[in-house]
Amino acid sequence: MIRSERKYKNRNSERLSGPGGHGRRFVRDTAVSVIAGAAVSLAVLTETAGAVTLDQVKARGYITVAIANEIPASYTDSSGEVKGSEAEVVRHVLAQMGIKSENIQWVVTTFSSLIPGLQANRFDMTAAGMAIRPERCQKVIYSEPDSTYGEGLLVVKGNPKNLHSYEDITKQGSVAVMAGADQLQMMQALGIPESKIVTIASNADAVSAVATGRADAYAAAASTAAELAKKSDKVELAEPFKDPVIKGKVQRSWGGFTFNMESTDLRDKFNEALLKFEKTDEFKKILAEYGSPPEAIAAIPDKSTKELCSE
């Protein structure tokens, strides 16, 4: 976070004399004016404390980008290198904005800490493919969508509970969800009791939660569940799978990059570069390499952030 400090010095600190005590009133009035001016300046600084502009980022020499260690969106591999579809896209977009890859400072945190972290100015933006939801739009600002995805289930090998939808869990079994993820709200909307829901810190814990029987399934975005299924021969992707229907609407998400509410300059310039990059073959190639099917890539422009924030 860039902090601005302004120091005020009372240049009229000497005692001024005059008939009728006018000098003392002048000192008092000057002091009141200085205090009032400082209060106004402090209010302005407080109102804009969360704002980060592209010029500020360039002057600073680096940008901080938070990820939630979620496969395949953005994660660190065994060597500590940051990978994933969101990470690759943000590298390309920032490069177009004049910010080199080596000047990205990655911050690894939990998914549930992404929005609070932005609000507290612990980083400048996130690259986690976070679903654009109206309630989140009240707390952060989004880029335009750069991904769209349906839901999925990671289950133990052989799928003994025969789970092929979130609705199936209402009948039998238990489900793990990541703290702060959309899937918890989906389970609650479907009427799945809290006793059947196991909360885990990150999807890195999903395989062990399912393999050891702590939960019968792990609910996540389809691409995430598919990638996790490759990590162990003790689990598999529930196939076929039916996306949940809540209030008569099939649940499908559009994800985007998020910024502090005040960082409109940075978000707007990022958007401009992102929308140009989304028209390239390189963008489509990145998403395909990380598991997005052609129809999902083609559907990204179907929704705008404005309409997703107002649904």
Side-chain angles (χ1 to χ4, degrees):
M1 179 178 68
I2 298 174
R3 297 184 179 178
S4 298
E5 295 183 0
R6 295 185 62 182
K7 296 182 180 180
Y8 293 87
K9 182 178 180 180
N10 184 359
R11 298 181 185 277
N12 300 291
S13 58
E14 309 99 27
R15 181 173 179 176
L16 301 178
S17 61
H22 293 299
R24 285 192 296 275
R25 282 201 302 273
F26 182 82
V27 171
R28 181 192 63 199
D29 293 344
T30 301
V32 170
S33 297
V34 170
I35 292 170
V40 171
S41 297
L42 179 59
V44 171
L45 286 172
T46 300
E47 289 173 0
T48 60
V52 179
T53 67
L54 179 58
D55 286 344
Q56 285 176 322
V57 168
K58 288 182 175 180
R60 180 208 294 162
Y62 65 89
I63 188 169
T64 51
V65 181
I67 64 173
N69 227 14
E70 185 177 8
I71 298 171
S74 46
Y75 59 96
T76 55
D77 64 12
S78 56
S79 66
E81 184 180 353
V82 176
K83 294 185 175 180
S85 56
E86 297 291 302
E88 289 303 319
V89 169
V90 83
R91 283 188 179 106
H92 280 77
V93 174
L94 290 176
Q96 291 181 26
M97 296 166 63
I99 302 171
K100 296 180 180 180
S101 180
E102 58 264 33
N103 293 328
I104 300 174
Q105 292 189 2
W106 300 101
V107 180
V108 180
T109 187
T110 60
F111 190 87
S112 60
S113 297
L114 293 173
I115 289 179
L118 280 174
Q119 292 176 314
N121 304 308
R122 289 196 288 271
F123 28 82
D124 300 318
M125 63 177 292
T126 75
M130 184 180 288
I132 304 170
R133 305 283 188 219
E135 65 275 11
R136 289 175 177 162
C137 297
Q138 303 301 314
K139 301 174 182 178
V140 295
I141 53 175
Y142 279 89
S143 69
E144 286 303 312
D146 75 304
S147 62
T148 181
Y149 46 86
E151 298 298 305
L153 271 178
L154 183 73
V155 295
V156 72
K157 194 73 173 180
N159 196 5
K161 294 287 179 73
N162 199 31
L163 302 174
H164 295 282
S165 69
Y166 292 172
E167 287 87 346
D168 286 343
I169 299 165
T170 62
K171 304 168 188 174
Q172 65 171 339
S174 60
V175 62
V177 297
M178 184 170 62
D182 302 321
Q183 285 73 24
L184 175 59
Q185 292 177 324
M186 293 181 192
M187 300 303 166
Q188 292 170 336
L190 292 169
I192 297 173
E194 295 290 334
S195 59
K196 286 189 169 189
I197 301 174
V198 178
T199 303
I200 60 177
S202 71
N203 67 19
D205 303 321
V207 172
S208 62
V210 174
T212 61
R214 186 179 169 201
D216 295 304
Y218 175 60
S223 55
T224 297
E227 286 298 316
L228 289 170
K230 301 174 184 177
K231 302 297 180 182
S232 170
D233 58 7
K234 296 181 179 179
V235 296
E236 65 184 33
L237 186 66
E239 293 181 312
F241 179 82
K242 184 179 179 182
D243 279 323
V245 178
I246 298 173
K247 294 181 180 180
K249 183 179 178 181
V250 176
Q251 298 300 294
R252 184 169 189 85
S253 299
W254 273 259
F257 301 89
T258 56
F259 304 78
N260 181 283
M261 289 289 284
E262 303 296 334
S263 296
T264 52
D265 173 80
L266 181 60
R267 189 278 309 270
D268 291 349
K269 289 183 171 65
F270 184 90
N271 256 344
E272 184 180 345
L274 173 64
L275 292 175
K276 288 180 181 178
F277 184 55
E278 287 184 358
K279 295 177 182 178
T280 67
D281 289 337
E282 182 66 21
F283 173 75
K284 299 177 180 66
K285 180 181 177 182
I286 289 171
L287 267 60
E289 286 178 351
Y290 284 98
S292 289
E295 60 270 20
I297 298 172
I300 292 172
D302 289 354
K303 294 277 189 177
S304 69
T305 294
K306 182 177 180 179
E307 78 183 291
L308 289 164
C309 283
S310 60
E311 284 185 347

